[in-house]
Amino acid sequence: MDTTNNAKQQPCDCQPKPAPEYPNQVTGMRVLARALKEIGIDTMYGLVGIPVTEFAYIAQGEGMKFVSFRHEQQAGMAAATHGYLTHTPGVLLTVSSLGFLNGLTATINATVNCYPMIQISGSSEREPIDLDQGTYEGLDQLNVAKGLVKAAYRVNRPEDIPIAVARAYRAAMDGRPGGVYLDVPTPCLGAVIDADVMEKALFKMVDPIPAMIPSPESVDRALALLASAKKPCILLGKGAAYAQIDDKIKQLVEKTGIPFYPMSMAKGLMPDNHPQSAISCRSEIIEQADVVMLVGARLNWLLSRGHGKWNPNGKFIQLEIDPMEIDCNRPIAAPVVGDLESSIDAILAKLPNYKMQMDPTWLPTLQEITKKKNAGLAAKLAPQTVPMDHWSALSACKKVIEANPDIILVNEGANTLDDTRDAIDMSLPRHRIDCATWAIMGMGMGSAIGAAVSTGSRVVAIEGDSAFGFSGMDFSTICRFKLPVTVVIFNNGGIYNGIGKPLDNTTDPAPTTLDINARYDKLGDAFGAKTYYVTTPAQLEQALTEAVASREPALIDVQLANDAGKESGHIGYLNPAALVDITV
Ligand code: ADP
Ligand code: MG
């Protein structure tokens, strides 16, 4: 991808376009900026170059915030996080070909995770693309995107842009949220139309996110099943957090008195230390619950698809917006298809008609187990081991983050992900963002930026050293935009750990080995951040306390032992190679 405005690299077979006689004439770029504003988009994330550079300036001129990145994938991760946290589509802007492809990975990730976002990409003129003749940054982008994202559109005429943007908005938001691609070829961006044609084409959407009301029968069926359960559980997913109906979820949990189990990003929707929290009782829920109510959560691989150790006689209620999700892994006895707000409203309204028959020993049993598990966790966190391992480092992070519950925690890595999720309690909704359903690495800096920009909150990103490598350069974006983000890098010198052994036939580093002596703090120095290099839990606690209090960009290099960590965290079974000899 080339982001220079070098005329030599432009195709020269197009005629120079007449300059628009602004304000009576406008370009497609102006229409696009106005159309986005009209639907309430006030922020874009992206990386400019031919053919979208001028568009970014025009959008800024129209009062939009443009957050310029170093890599499109991270800009896309930011847009997706923005969408998840604000319940409006995050917008990513990319250039043609490689920029588009780099960004597309994030748009696909958003689709997998049900985050609403729109990737807008400039693309080359159609004629040489359709004849496969080759052109500057030529790629048939629309056809590449189709099938990988929730919806993909191309707009060819400036006067169609308001409709295209509305279609993209509805596709991103309505039903199951996801990533949408909007292709805008260069000729459309540069085409000139009369300003009054633009004004006529612009419109306000009526009912942009319509309610989807569940059928009354489905609500009664679900309540009857829930009421009959002896060992029920409410399983909260990130769809429940995304819906921003926190008080209604709280009422559902507290009025039924049923224990709840949050998926990773639903942590904090109800406080992890709530008396009904069964967060430490995953295996007991799976093995014993007779009725599980899935609320904005999929019975997907993260839950063994409802198979494996799940109670074979257990039944499921599923509150879900997408009817095709129902029965996709295990039969669902009571589907409630609707948007969560409407579904929970309907359930709460009818709840007084049903008497819960929960076994009175079920919750106390889970509370006992929780106490034991908490004691086990405290024992893991207690030894202030030096050189640090994940647990001693997390003992310091836990103190600071739990004392500052407004902080949004971004988290990726292998052991760094698993152990942080277990160690740090969340007490507020939508304050934990991680690799989620696709389990990908390389969302850290982008998600931290999207979280900080879209909420104004302080953010701490706890990153494995390998995970940080995927997005590290966009730490400079945190610095340029002076965001209140602290990046904490757990350096154990490698993927899983730093003690991978090279095979006998090579002097190259082992595939899992990175650099235990790397001084990531010096990367922060390059961009003017506050930086720290820490080797003990006490130093880490002090550095993190100071960094988050400053509300300035900060980077903490946390020196772990190179043998801290093990392969694949809690999901080692996914990697059979860990169990057999590696031979060449
Ligand atoms: P988790 O990984 O936390 O279990 P998932 O992303 O797997 O969460 O599941 C979220 C589910 O929530 C998806 O099936 C999605 O369709 C659903 N969902 C998202 N938004 C809403 C909403 N507003 N109302 C109902 N369901 C929703
Ligand atoms: Mg590591």
mmCIF file of all heavy atoms in Angstrom, residues 366-394:
data_model
loop_
_atom_site.group_PDB
_atom_site.id
_atom_site.type_symbol
_atom_site.label_atom_id
_atom_site.label_comp_id
_atom_site.label_asym_id
_atom_site.label_seq_id
_atom_site.Cartn_x
_atom_site.Cartn_y
_atom_site.Cartn_z
ATOM 1 N N LEU A 366 -23.312 -23.460 45.723
ATOM 2 C CA LEU A 366 -22.414 -22.740 44.807
ATOM 3 C C LEU A 366 -21.617 -21.674 45.573
ATOM 4 O O LEU A 366 -20.438 -21.436 45.292
ATOM 5 C CB LEU A 366 -23.212 -22.104 43.667
ATOM 6 C CG LEU A 366 -23.919 -23.078 42.717
ATOM 7 C CD1 LEU A 366 -24.753 -22.320 41.689
ATOM 8 C CD2 LEU A 366 -22.925 -24.003 42.007
ATOM 9 N N GLN A 367 -22.262 -21.068 46.560
ATOM 10 C CA GLN A 367 -21.558 -20.028 47.340
ATOM 11 C C GLN A 367 -20.412 -20.640 48.144
ATOM 12 O O GLN A 367 -19.350 -20.031 48.283
ATOM 13 C CB GLN A 367 -22.544 -19.300 48.266
ATOM 14 C CG GLN A 367 -23.434 -18.333 47.489
ATOM 15 C CD GLN A 367 -24.595 -17.788 48.317
ATOM 16 O OE1 GLN A 367 -25.036 -18.430 49.284
ATOM 17 N NE2 GLN A 367 -25.100 -16.622 47.934
ATOM 18 N N GLU A 368 -20.639 -21.857 48.657
ATOM 19 C CA GLU A 368 -19.575 -22.570 49.382
ATOM 20 C C GLU A 368 -18.396 -22.847 48.453
ATOM 21 O O GLU A 368 -17.233 -22.620 48.799
ATOM 22 C CB GLU A 368 -20.117 -23.921 49.890
ATOM 23 C CG GLU A 368 -20.411 -24.035 51.372
ATOM 24 C CD GLU A 368 -19.589 -23.133 52.261
ATOM 25 O OE1 GLU A 368 -18.393 -23.444 52.469
ATOM 26 O OE2 GLU A 368 -20.119 -22.112 52.751
ATOM 27 N N ILE A 369 -18.739 -23.352 47.260
ATOM 28 C CA ILE A 369 -17.679 -23.654 46.273
ATOM 29 C C ILE A 369 -16.932 -22.369 45.923
ATOM 30 O O ILE A 369 -15.698 -22.351 45.833
ATOM 31 C CB ILE A 369 -18.296 -24.311 45.015
ATOM 32 C CG1 ILE A 369 -18.911 -25.656 45.387
ATOM 33 C CG2 ILE A 369 -17.261 -24.474 43.903
ATOM 34 C CD1 ILE A 369 -19.811 -26.253 44.321
ATOM 35 N N THR A 370 -17.688 -21.289 45.747
ATOM 36 C CA THR A 370 -17.062 -20.000 45.408
ATOM 37 C C THR A 370 -16.055 -19.606 46.481
ATOM 38 O O THR A 370 -14.945 -19.157 46.168
ATOM 39 C CB THR A 370 -18.151 -18.908 45.261
ATOM 40 O OG1 THR A 370 -19.041 -19.304 44.228
ATOM 41 C CG2 THR A 370 -17.555 -17.552 44.918
ATOM 42 N N LYS A 371 -16.445 -19.785 47.741
ATOM 43 C CA LYS A 371 -15.530 -19.427 48.836
ATOM 44 C C LYS A 371 -14.225 -20.207 48.729
ATOM 45 O O LYS A 371 -13.135 -19.655 48.847
ATOM 46 C CB LYS A 371 -16.187 -19.753 50.188
ATOM 47 C CG LYS A 371 -16.734 -18.534 50.882
ATOM 48 C CD LYS A 371 -17.055 -18.872 52.346
ATOM 49 C CE LYS A 371 -18.348 -18.176 52.724
ATOM 50 N NZ LYS A 371 -19.158 -18.892 53.685
ATOM 51 N N LYS A 372 -14.366 -21.520 48.468
ATOM 52 C CA LYS A 372 -13.164 -22.367 48.374
ATOM 53 C C LYS A 372 -12.311 -21.943 47.182
ATOM 54 O O LYS A 372 -11.085 -21.835 47.278
ATOM 55 C CB LYS A 372 -13.570 -23.843 48.192
ATOM 56 C CG LYS A 372 -13.930 -24.506 49.493
ATOM 57 C CD LYS A 372 -13.946 -26.037 49.349
ATOM 58 C CE LYS A 372 -14.746 -26.614 50.506
ATOM 59 N NZ LYS A 372 -15.906 -27.403 50.121
ATOM 60 N N LYS A 373 -12.974 -21.712 46.058
ATOM 61 C CA LYS A 373 -12.222 -21.324 44.855
ATOM 62 C C LYS A 373 -11.532 -19.978 45.078
ATOM 63 O O LYS A 373 -10.403 -19.769 44.634
ATOM 64 C CB LYS A 373 -13.161 -21.240 43.638
ATOM 65 C CG LYS A 373 -13.797 -22.584 43.248
ATOM 66 C CD LYS A 373 -13.083 -23.210 42.054
ATOM 67 C CE LYS A 373 -13.597 -24.603 41.743
ATOM 68 N NZ LYS A 373 -14.732 -24.639 40.834
ATOM 69 N N ASN A 374 -12.229 -19.057 45.745
ATOM 70 C CA ASN A 374 -11.615 -17.752 46.012
ATOM 71 C C ASN A 374 -10.383 -17.898 46.901
ATOM 72 O O ASN A 374 -9.381 -17.213 46.706
ATOM 73 C CB ASN A 374 -12.620 -16.796 46.669
ATOM 74 C CG ASN A 374 -13.616 -16.263 45.652
ATOM 75 O OD1 ASN A 374 -13.440 -16.443 44.443
ATOM 76 N ND2 ASN A 374 -14.663 -15.612 46.131
ATOM 77 N N ALA A 375 -10.487 -18.818 47.870
ATOM 78 C CA ALA A 375 -9.328 -19.049 48.743
ATOM 79 C C ALA A 375 -8.172 -19.620 47.911
ATOM 80 O O ALA A 375 -7.001 -19.244 48.098
ATOM 81 C CB ALA A 375 -9.698 -20.000 49.876
ATOM 82 N N GLY A 376 -8.515 -20.499 46.964
ATOM 83 C CA GLY A 376 -7.481 -21.079 46.087
ATOM 84 C C GLY A 376 -6.823 -19.997 45.241
ATOM 85 O O GLY A 376 -5.587 -19.978 45.073
ATOM 86 N N LEU A 377 -7.638 -19.079 44.738
ATOM 87 C CA LEU A 377 -7.102 -17.988 43.918
ATOM 88 C C LEU A 377 -6.204 -17.087 44.766
ATOM 89 O O LEU A 377 -5.101 -16.699 44.338
ATOM 90 C CB LEU A 377 -8.261 -17.180 43.321
ATOM 91 C CG LEU A 377 -7.877 -16.041 42.388
ATOM 92 C CD1 LEU A 377 -7.242 -16.590 41.099
ATOM 93 C CD2 LEU A 377 -9.106 -15.198 42.024
ATOM 94 N N ALA A 378 -6.666 -16.793 45.975
ATOM 95 C CA ALA A 378 -5.860 -15.936 46.866
ATOM 96 C C ALA A 378 -4.508 -16.597 47.138
ATOM 97 O O ALA A 378 -3.471 -15.910 47.188
ATOM 98 C CB ALA A 378 -6.615 -15.682 48.170
ATOM 99 N N ALA A 379 -4.521 -17.923 47.272
ATOM 100 C CA ALA A 379 -3.258 -18.629 47.534
ATOM 101 C C ALA A 379 -2.321 -18.535 46.333
ATOM 102 O O ALA A 379 -1.096 -18.452 46.482
ATOM 103 C CB ALA A 379 -3.543 -20.090 47.883
ATOM 104 N N LYS A 380 -2.898 -18.538 45.120
ATOM 105 C CA LYS A 380 -2.050 -18.384 43.925
ATOM 106 C C LYS A 380 -1.459 -16.987 43.844
ATOM 107 O O LYS A 380 -0.348 -16.785 43.352
ATOM 108 C CB LYS A 380 -2.901 -18.595 42.662
ATOM 109 C CG LYS A 380 -3.132 -20.031 42.262
ATOM 110 C CD LYS A 380 -3.719 -20.018 40.856
ATOM 111 C CE LYS A 380 -4.394 -21.328 40.525
ATOM 112 N NZ LYS A 380 -5.154 -21.258 39.280
ATOM 113 N N LEU A 381 -2.249 -15.999 44.308
ATOM 114 C CA LEU A 381 -1.809 -14.609 44.168
ATOM 115 C C LEU A 381 -0.868 -14.177 45.300
ATOM 116 O O LEU A 381 -0.172 -13.175 45.172
ATOM 117 C CB LEU A 381 -3.040 -13.684 44.150
ATOM 118 C CG LEU A 381 -3.897 -13.752 42.887
ATOM 119 C CD1 LEU A 381 -5.286 -13.161 43.140
ATOM 120 C CD2 LEU A 381 -3.225 -13.017 41.731
ATOM 121 N N ALA A 382 -0.872 -14.937 46.398
ATOM 122 C CA ALA A 382 -0.147 -14.483 47.591
ATOM 123 C C ALA A 382 1.378 -14.457 47.450
ATOM 124 O O ALA A 382 2.011 -13.455 47.799
ATOM 125 C CB ALA A 382 -0.562 -15.321 48.790
ATOM 126 N N PRO A 383 2.012 -15.526 46.912
ATOM 127 C CA PRO A 383 3.483 -15.487 46.926
ATOM 128 C C PRO A 383 3.987 -14.357 46.019
ATOM 129 O O PRO A 383 3.612 -14.286 44.856
ATOM 130 C CB PRO A 383 3.880 -16.845 46.332
ATOM 131 C CG PRO A 383 2.639 -17.651 46.246
ATOM 132 C CD PRO A 383 1.484 -16.713 46.242
ATOM 133 N N GLN A 384 4.761 -13.488 46.581
ATOM 134 C CA GLN A 384 5.245 -12.342 45.798
ATOM 135 C C GLN A 384 6.540 -12.752 45.083
ATOM 136 O O GLN A 384 7.609 -12.174 45.279
ATOM 137 C CB GLN A 384 5.434 -11.134 46.711
ATOM 138 C CG GLN A 384 4.133 -10.710 47.380
ATOM 139 C CD GLN A 384 3.126 -10.145 46.377
ATOM 140 O OE1 GLN A 384 3.293 -9.049 45.869
ATOM 141 N NE2 GLN A 384 2.084 -10.910 46.066
ATOM 142 N N THR A 385 6.405 -13.776 44.240
ATOM 143 C CA THR A 385 7.560 -14.382 43.588
ATOM 144 C C THR A 385 8.375 -13.361 42.788
ATOM 145 O O THR A 385 7.822 -12.564 42.059
ATOM 146 C CB THR A 385 7.060 -15.446 42.578
ATOM 147 O OG1 THR A 385 5.928 -16.079 43.136
ATOM 148 C CG2 THR A 385 8.125 -16.447 42.231
ATOM 149 N N VAL A 386 9.675 -13.425 42.931
ATOM 150 C CA VAL A 386 10.584 -12.632 42.097
ATOM 151 C C VAL A 386 11.701 -13.569 41.636
ATOM 152 O O VAL A 386 12.289 -14.257 42.469
ATOM 153 C CB VAL A 386 11.189 -11.445 42.887
ATOM 154 C CG1 VAL A 386 12.190 -10.694 42.002
ATOM 155 C CG2 VAL A 386 10.095 -10.509 43.368
ATOM 156 N N PRO A 387 12.065 -13.669 40.324
ATOM 157 C CA PRO A 387 11.396 -12.967 39.232
ATOM 158 C C PRO A 387 9.913 -13.341 39.171
ATOM 159 O O PRO A 387 9.530 -14.459 39.504
ATOM 160 C CB PRO A 387 12.144 -13.420 37.982
ATOM 161 C CG PRO A 387 12.926 -14.626 38.373
ATOM 162 C CD PRO A 387 13.133 -14.567 39.842
ATOM 163 N N MET A 388 9.119 -12.379 38.687
ATOM 164 C CA MET A 388 7.670 -12.549 38.744
ATOM 165 C C MET A 388 7.170 -13.626 37.788
ATOM 166 O O MET A 388 7.769 -13.876 36.742
ATOM 167 C CB MET A 388 6.990 -11.222 38.377
ATOM 168 C CG MET A 388 7.059 -10.196 39.493
ATOM 169 S SD MET A 388 6.130 -8.703 39.074
ATOM 170 C CE MET A 388 7.302 -7.806 38.096
ATOM 171 N N ASP A 389 6.064 -14.253 38.192
ATOM 172 C CA ASP A 389 5.284 -15.052 37.245
ATOM 173 C C ASP A 389 3.968 -14.296 37.008
ATOM 174 O O ASP A 389 3.777 -13.190 37.541
ATOM 175 C CB ASP A 389 5.061 -16.479 37.776
ATOM 176 C CG ASP A 389 4.324 -16.510 39.100
ATOM 177 O OD1 ASP A 389 3.764 -15.453 39.501
ATOM 178 O OD2 ASP A 389 4.294 -17.569 39.745
ATOM 179 N N HIS A 390 3.069 -14.883 36.222
ATOM 180 C CA HIS A 390 1.824 -14.157 35.926
ATOM 181 C C HIS A 390 1.055 -13.814 37.192
ATOM 182 O O HIS A 390 0.461 -12.749 37.311
ATOM 183 C CB HIS A 390 0.949 -14.986 34.979
ATOM 184 C CG HIS A 390 1.532 -15.138 33.613
ATOM 185 N ND1 HIS A 390 2.503 -16.060 33.309
ATOM 186 C CD2 HIS A 390 1.298 -14.457 32.475
ATOM 187 C CE1 HIS A 390 2.839 -15.947 32.045
ATOM 188 N NE2 HIS A 390 2.124 -14.990 31.504
ATOM 189 N N TRP A 391 1.075 -14.742 38.157
ATOM 190 C CA TRP A 391 0.248 -14.531 39.344
ATOM 191 C C TRP A 391 0.801 -13.434 40.233
ATOM 192 O O TRP A 391 0.035 -12.609 40.755
ATOM 193 C CB TRP A 391 0.085 -15.845 40.120
ATOM 194 C CG TRP A 391 -0.699 -16.821 39.305
ATOM 195 C CD1 TRP A 391 -0.219 -17.913 38.643
ATOM 196 C CD2 TRP A 391 -2.103 -16.761 39.004
ATOM 197 N NE1 TRP A 391 -1.230 -18.537 37.954
ATOM 198 C CE2 TRP A 391 -2.398 -17.858 38.161
ATOM 199 C CE3 TRP A 391 -3.137 -15.903 39.364
ATOM 200 C CZ2 TRP A 391 -3.677 -18.127 37.674
ATOM 201 C CZ3 TRP A 391 -4.412 -16.155 38.882
ATOM 202 C CH2 TRP A 391 -4.682 -17.253 38.043
ATOM 203 N N SER A 392 2.121 -13.411 40.428
ATOM 204 C CA SER A 392 2.636 -12.339 41.301
ATOM 205 C C SER A 392 2.464 -10.984 40.618
ATOM 206 O O SER A 392 2.129 -9.989 41.269
ATOM 207 C CB SER A 392 4.090 -12.597 41.724
ATOM 208 O OG SER A 392 4.906 -12.870 40.622
ATOM 209 N N ALA A 393 2.629 -10.941 39.294
ATOM 210 C CA ALA A 393 2.394 -9.675 38.585
ATOM 211 C C ALA A 393 0.917 -9.280 38.694
ATOM 212 O O ALA A 393 0.570 -8.120 38.910
ATOM 213 C CB ALA A 393 2.808 -9.821 37.120
ATOM 214 N N LEU A 394 0.043 -10.298 38.569
ATOM 215 C CA LEU A 394 -1.395 -9.983 38.627
ATOM 216 C C LEU A 394 -1.840 -9.563 40.015
ATOM 217 O O LEU A 394 -2.822 -8.824 40.154
ATOM 218 C CB LEU A 394 -2.208 -11.188 38.143
ATOM 219 C CG LEU A 394 -2.270 -11.303 36.619
ATOM 220 C CD1 LEU A 394 -2.819 -12.658 36.202
ATOM 221 C CD2 LEU A 394 -3.098 -10.170 36.009
#
